Amino acid sequence: MPLTAYSVHLVSLVVLAGPGGWIADNRVWVASAVVLLVDCTAWSALKGRGPLGRVTAWAARRAGQAVPAAGPGPAPRSAVR
């Protein structure tokens, strides 16, 4: 959920302030924090991982399956005569 919350927070601020913009009103920051806190808590309680966390976990599992298992390596030097 942290990755999704962070991404949503950044996108929402860019939408509200524009690229490179600045929001001086503290009410926007408080509202953003409250909405994220409530939404993230509810999502975590109901579904567990956030959407971007699920995608990241899926990609990591797929990448782990693509690597072949290591077979027996070369014999140690002490065993070779």
Side-chain angles (χ1 to χ4, degrees):
M1 197 68 216
L3 181 59
T4 301
Y6 179 72
S7 300
V8 167
H9 193 163
L10 284 178
V11 170
S12 69
L13 293 177
V14 168
V15 168
L16 290 173
W22 181 257
I23 299 173
D25 189 3
N26 286 338
R27 291 176 294 184
V28 174
W29 298 104
V30 171
S32 176
V34 169
V35 167
L36 279 171
L37 182 65
V38 169
D39 287 351
C40 290
T41 302
W43 185 284
S44 294
L46 298 174
K47 295 194 176 190
R49 265 191 191 135
L52 293 179
R54 289 175 193 252
V55 170
T56 304
W58 173 82
R61 280 193 305 273
R62 293 279 301 196
Q65 293 170 352
V67 176
R77 288 190 171 257
S78 62
V80 177
R81 294 194 177 211

